[in-house]
Amino acid sequence: MKEFGDSPAVDSIDLVVEPGTFCALIGPSGCGKTTTLRLISGMETPTSGQVLLNGNDVTYVSPRNRKTPLVWQSFALFPHLTVRGNVEFGLRMSGVDSGERRSRAMKLLEYMGLAEMENRPVVTLSGGQRQRVGLARALVMETGILLLDEPLGSLDANLRIVMQSELKKLQRELQLTFVYVTHNQNEALAMADQIVVMNDGHIEQGGSASDVYLRPATQFVAEFVGANNIFGAQVITTNGTHMEVETEIGRFKIASGLGAPDGSERHRAGSAISFVVQASRLRLSTGNGQNVLRGKVITHEFSGALVTTFVELDDGRLLKLQRPEIEVMGREEAPDEMISLTWRPEDVHILPEDR
Amino acid sequence: MSGVAVGRRASTARPSLWVRLKPRLSVGAWAAPALIWQLVFAAVPLALLVLMSFWTLSEYQVSKEFTLDNYSRLFSDSIYLQAYLRSLLLSFTNALLAILISLPFAYALAFHVKPRRQPLILLIIALPLFTSYLMRMYAWQTVLADNGVVNAAGLHVKLLFTETGIRLGLLSYFCTIVILLLYTAMRLVPPELLEAARNLGATERQVALRVILPQTKLAMAIGGLFAFILTFGDFVATSILGGGQAYLFSAQILDQVRISNWPGAASLAIVMLITLLLAFAIAFRLALGKRTA
């Protein structure tokens, strides 16, 4: 736990990152993800609790003895040094002789495609080049661990995509342990083996990309990751595989098997649940049959291959409907047009109620 | 067709002269008061000074005849050269001392004092600057005198009317300003750079020497330059604390003025000006020159 003043910035965090894992901490600003990273690197000391590194307690080890090099969003390169001077900095601090310093730095600069720029002042580099220098500067320490604080946050969108695959390749090839902080869920979903969703100083859910994306553990995760429609409901009847539930906007039939990790049946008639229907699992309906909702088209949002349509229901709530661009473009519904939506009972995910 | 056309047709003609000149004129208007001030009170007098340094003095009368005598005299009479070198040495060492004394202080203040307390300490440092420079130099006289505070404390050293005395008086003045300069520069070093250095294994000493110090180069140069220029041109401390014992370049200008040798004083002033310009160029060259690996 880490307290700043009276309010805990990070509280009761239990995070294990296995060697060679790409772990992404995601969450909104102020959720404590950066504080967690600073706790790992020793730039903050926890008010209570422990930080273990390779099994050793490093809670009170100073940052300089931790061997947890960090890559910064602002790059934090030393402006008075050249590209190679920056990369060699850590080695120089620990007294590595100049020959070895040079060869280790050059090896990484070559890997990063920056070898010809070794003598350039870093202030003359572009954003992407600077971030590569920042990476090389951390990697040259050969600690096997890299902490990254929004490393792509200062780069433009195209470069971010390029750097994403470069980072992932780097992490795989060198078998590094990455702890990667970002507020960008797409970045995390695309790269990380382990995703930790944080909110308000605690961990909401940790797991693989498909865990947090398809099986959110809490309402917060369902809202933060992906595009989900969340409903609160009460169970009316259940037959083991399916349940009939009552919501403010009608009765629906949903599958009851998901949601309980051990597969046991946990929901009885009368219990309150929340369930999630992913925006991409909603589809247009003729208006007949079960699980049908009618609403008014508000707007369409085009983002690459997907189109998100916002649909307003009678009670004012907004549903998100995601369809492939190729199915929608050219025949999208006009604003204010009434449409019917439906989903299959199996396309529902029930939020675990004990969270 | 690509692109967006708004209205009828985008005009391809060059904008009118007025449109092109307007932004420059408005910038010029903002700068005008300062420019006019500088022109009237700095550039014009300076031009007159240069002109006057080539005039002739004969029988205590200045005549507007062109001559190089004022300058050739400076090189032929060793008294000028000696005073010049003495001033140069004093100014240079003063600049170095001011930086060396102020650096650790500014560093300690900026990085090892709670930010909340820093303004108070800064105020205490700057407080002497609120009093008159002349007053402070007289105060130093009583401190440094043979029967003054230092000697009363049991140290029997001759301080007043020595170069050391001048140095003490001037440094007490410059150090406050150099400390303020360096402190400001150090506070502007991004904290992330310090954290990055520690993260890469730097000790606090290495952080200070390898990150903070290089980032403070420009402030050091300006501070040193400041000490150099003020020492070189000073005649208050040199006369009050030096008592004419250390004959410095600035005192020579005063002497020339006293005997109404305006061309002589002007030529000395020009030499001083060139020296200070050189010092300026060297200081900035050192601060902004080549970056090291």
Side-chain angles (χ1 to χ4, degrees):
Chain A
M1 182 173 111
K2 171 69 190 175
E3 283 182 4
F4 290 124
D6 290 335
S7 59
V10 165
D11 196 1
S12 313
I13 278 194
D14 197 355
L15 174 64
V16 178
V17 183
E18 296 294 336
T21 306
F22 193 133
C23 170
L25 305 181
I26 63 174
S29 359
C31 72
K33 54 193 191 299
T34 294
T35 305
T36 307
L37 203 68
R38 293 174 64 86
L39 285 168
I40 300 172
S41 69
M43 286 184 283
E44 307 286 351
T45 307
T47 317
S48 64
Q50 273 185 311
V51 182
L52 303 183
L53 214 62
N54 299 322
N56 305 315
D57 186 347
V58 295
T59 313
Y60 299 103
V61 173
S62 69
R64 73 182 187 90
N65 293 322
R66 274 212 199 184
K67 302 185 168 36
T68 49
L70 210 146
V71 179
W72 310 70
Q73 176 175 11
S74 65
F75 317 132
L77 300 179
F78 303 113
H80 58 285
L81 297 177
T82 60
V83 167
R84 183 156 60 81
N86 266 279
V87 178
E88 284 183 4
F89 188 90
L91 301 176
R92 184 187 279 257
M93 293 305 107
S94 45
V96 175
D97 70 74
S98 67
E100 193 191 335
R101 255 180 5 225
R102 193 196 162 100
S103 75
R104 278 168 72 176
M106 286 314 291
K107 209 173 76 190
L108 273 169
L109 285 175
E110 265 157 38
Y111 186 88
M112 299 277 169
L114 290 170
E116 299 87 67
M117 303 192 174
E118 58 163 324
N119 292 321
R120 292 256 301 266
V122 287
V123 286
T124 63
L125 302 186
S126 70
Q129 289 168 337
R130 285 184 202 203
Q131 195 50 286
R132 285 197 191 95
V133 176
L135 274 168
R137 185 177 73 172
L139 287 171
V140 82
M141 305 304 286
E142 293 177 4
T143 55
I145 298 173
L146 216 57
L147 308 180
L148 304 102
D149 189 4
E150 302 263 8
L152 310 182
S154 308
L155 307 180
D156 64 63
N158 288 330
L159 194 54
R160 212 178 301 153
I161 305 290
V162 175
M163 287 294 286
Q164 264 183 29
S165 54
E166 278 188 25
L167 275 176
K168 184 64 199 166
K169 180 167 155 260
L170 183 87
Q171 186 261 341
R172 275 222 191 101
E173 282 182 1
L174 305 180
Q175 297 179 334
L176 302 168
T177 310
F178 269 27
V179 182
Y180 187 107
V181 161
T182 178
H183 66 269
N184 183 334
Q185 48 153 314
N186 295 330
E187 226 170 85
L189 292 170
M191 292 190 283
D193 310 311
Q194 176 187 5
I195 293 179
V196 177
V197 184
M198 292 188 69
N199 178 35
D200 204 15
H202 65 267
I203 293 176
E204 292 273 340
Q205 185 177 5
S208 68
S210 58
D211 281 340
V212 296
Y213 191 78
L214 299 176
R215 293 177 289 281
T218 66
Q219 178 153 351
F220 176 83
V221 176
E223 282 167 359
F224 188 76
V225 180
N228 290 311
N229 299 297
I230 305 167
F231 302 90
Q234 197 168 30
V235 179
I236 306 295
T237 61
T238 171
N239 67 1
T241 60
H242 290 83
M243 310 189 282
E244 196 174 343
V245 296
E246 170 94 46
T247 72
E248 288 170 358
I249 47 172
R251 287 198 176 196
F252 302 108
K253 191 177 174 194
I254 62 176
S256 55
L258 304 166
D262 54 357
S264 67
E265 191 185 339
R266 298 199 298 186
H267 308 296
R268 302 171 189 291
S271 54
I273 60 165
S274 293
F275 67 91
V276 171
V277 183
Q278 271 190 42
S280 56
R281 300 287 168 94
L282 277 182
R283 52 202 67 197
L284 290 178
S285 135
T286 52
N288 303 315
Q290 61 187 12
N291 295 351
V292 173
L293 286 171
R294 277 186 69 74
K296 188 172 67 175
V297 170
I298 301 296
T299 180
H300 303 279
E301 216 175 74
F302 296 88
S303 56
L306 282 179
V307 177
T308 307
T309 305
F310 291 85
V311 180
E312 192 184 78
L313 303 185
D314 288 343
D315 67 343
R317 83 171 69 193
L318 276 182
L319 289 188
K320 282 172 276 185
L321 162 71
Q322 271 183 349
R323 291 171 289 176
E325 174 266 347
I326 196 160
E327 288 178 13
V328 186
M329 282 298 277
R331 52 194 130 139
E332 65 264 29
E333 301 80 11
D336 290 339
E337 191 179 327
M338 294 300 288
I339 58 171
S340 296
L341 298 170
T342 186
W343 66 84
R344 296 186 305 152
E346 291 72 28
D347 287 339
V348 162
H349 167 71
I350 302 170
L351 295 178
E353 61 192 21
D354 51 344
R355 287 292 295 267
Chain B
M1 194 193 116
S2 68
V4 183
V6 180
R8 283 160 302 175
R9 257 179 65 193
S11 165
T12 51
R14 287 187 69 178
S16 72
L17 189 69
W18 171 243
V19 170
R20 277 181 289 138
L21 277 183
K22 208 178 147 194
R24 292 190 197 182
L25 285 176
S26 66
V27 169
W30 286 110
L35 279 176
I36 292 168
W37 179 275
Q38 286 291 324
L39 195 71
V40 173
F41 295 105
V44 171
L46 190 65
L48 288 176
L49 196 70
V50 173
L51 201 63
M52 193 189 278
S53 71
F54 293 105
W55 286 349
T56 310
L57 181 83
S58 51
E59 288 162 16
Y60 302 103
Q61 290 294 313
V62 177
S63 60
K64 292 173 186 169
E65 285 169 57
F66 180 84
T67 177
L68 289 172
D69 283 356
N70 299 319
Y71 287 101
S72 61
R73 198 165 49 114
L74 300 184
F75 294 101
S76 56
D77 196 338
S78 69
I79 191 168
Y80 292 108
L81 193 65
Q82 273 170 19
Y84 181 79
L85 290 177
R86 195 180 289 126
S87 276
L88 205 60
L89 188 69
L90 183 74
S91 307
F92 182 69
T93 49
N94 252 3
L96 275 187
L97 282 170
I99 293 170
L100 286 177
I101 295 168
S102 307
L103 260 179
F105 191 96
Y107 168 72
L109 180 61
F111 295 105
H112 297 284
V113 172
K114 284 189 181 139
R116 217 160 26 87
R117 300 218 178 112
Q118 290 175 9
L120 179 69
I121 296 175
L122 282 176
L123 179 71
I124 294 169
I125 292 167
L127 210 56
L129 296 177
F130 296 2
T131 63
S132 139
Y133 173 45
L134 197 65
M135 294 281 286
R136 260 178 291 143
M137 290 306 120
Y138 276 116
W140 271 102
Q141 214 174 37
T142 64
V143 173
L144 301 177
D146 291 348
N147 55 355
V149 178
V150 174
N151 284 313
L155 294 158
H156 293 287
V157 279
K158 172 112 182 111
L159 289 172
L160 192 60
F161 305 140
T162 64
E163 249 185 53
T164 314
I166 297 175
R167 212 187 271 291
L168 280 170
L170 286 174
L171 280 179
S172 74
Y173 173 24
F174 302 154
C175 282
T176 56
I177 291 163
V178 179
I179 285 171
L180 294 178
L181 260 170
L182 292 175
Y183 166 83
T184 311
M186 286 177 185
R187 283 301 302 263
L188 289 175
V189 175
E192 273 172 4
L193 290 189
L194 313 183
E195 288 189 328
R198 289 185 197 114
N199 180 255
L200 292 165
T203 60
E204 282 314 293
R205 221 185 101 180
Q206 285 171 321
V207 171
L209 295 178
R210 299 268 181 201
V211 181
I212 297 169
L213 200 63
Q215 303 281 313
T216 319
K217 244 161 67 177
L218 186 60
M220 279 197 282
I222 294 171
L225 192 63
F226 185 86
F228 184 93
I229 291 174
L230 288 185
T231 305
F232 206 93
D234 184 87
F235 65 88
V236 173
T238 46
S239 59
I240 294 174
L241 302 176
Q245 292 303 302
Y247 196 48
L248 293 167
F249 199 68
S250 53
Q252 282 179 329
I253 299 181
L254 202 61
D255 287 350
Q256 296 298 321
V257 171
R258 282 193 181 122
I259 60 168
S260 296
N261 183 0
W262 294 101
S267 63
L268 285 167
I270 295 297
V271 169
M272 184 186 273
L273 193 69
I274 291 169
T275 307
L276 300 186
L277 283 176
L278 276 175
F280 189 88
I282 291 169
F284 273 84
R285 175 80 207 172
L286 284 175
L288 302 175
K290 282 204 146 226
R291 284 158 204 281
T292 51

